[in-house]
Amino acid sequence: MKKAILLILVLALTVCAVACAKKNDGASTEGGTTATGFGVTVNGTAVELGKDAAPVLAALGTPTLSQEVFDCGEGNSRMFYRFGSLELYTMKSDGKEIIDQIELNDDLVSTDKGICIGDTVEKVKTAYGEPQRGDEDDLVYVSGNQELTFEIDDGRVEEIGLLRVTR
């Protein structure tokens, strides 16, 4: 239980730090991400980082929870949406909501390469190869301005997160 609480706190601090980071990577907030192979599809709807959230939100229907979660004071507000197995964070920029972060919470949704909660580290590495960084607790894959993170507990995927990153 303590590990889960610590993990939640670390993720929340990461979200806050990334949200407030100066965007200086040269990518535009809409469609500026590179093709990464990182993604999820929910009920036939592709959910991709850096893309306009409006069509995704419309396709997914009414969230079980939505709320503003953080504003860095730079005029960009962040929204959180929960759709059962999927959680989305969006960043409002230039009047549009852009998908900024994706979290998968159970085995009902998988990545584009078929990885879901409960899968083994071996299955993740077979699908994605060796991670760019990580340890026994997490595997992190990086491409362009995106990170795909698999939180690991006892050799199995406990949480999956996709995040836009600025450097």
Side-chain angles (χ1 to χ4, degrees), residues 92-106:
K92 195 159 227 166
S93 178
D94 297 326
K96 281 188 166 179
E97 278 187 271
I98 306 300
I99 298 173
D100 198 48
Q101 182 176 350
I102 304 165
E103 299 286 333
L104 306 182
N105 298 314
D106 59 37

Side-chain angles (χ1 to χ4, degrees), residues 25-89:
D25 62 355
S28 68
T29 57
E30 181 185 6
T33 60
T34 60
T36 65
F38 302 156
V40 300
T41 300
V42 181
N43 299 328
T45 301
V47 183
E48 300 176 76
L49 295 171
K51 301 294 182 178
D52 185 357
V56 171
L57 295 172
L60 294 177
T62 304
T64 56
L65 176 66
S66 66
Q67 64 186 40
E68 188 169 6
V69 291
F70 195 74
D71 184 350
C72 295
E74 296 178 18
N76 293 327
S77 63
R78 286 179 50 88
M79 288 293 297
F80 167 78
Y81 299 93
R82 179 176 294 140
F83 296 94
S85 303
L86 176 77
E87 294 179 352
L88 292 178
Y89 291 84

Side-chain angles (χ1 to χ4, degrees), residues 109-111 113-117 119 123-124 127-128 150 157 160:
V109 178
S110 63
T111 68
K113 293 191 179 186
I115 303 300
C116 63
I117 304 297
D119 284 340
K123 186 172 180 182
V124 173
Y128 289 96
F150 298 93
V157 176
I160 301 171

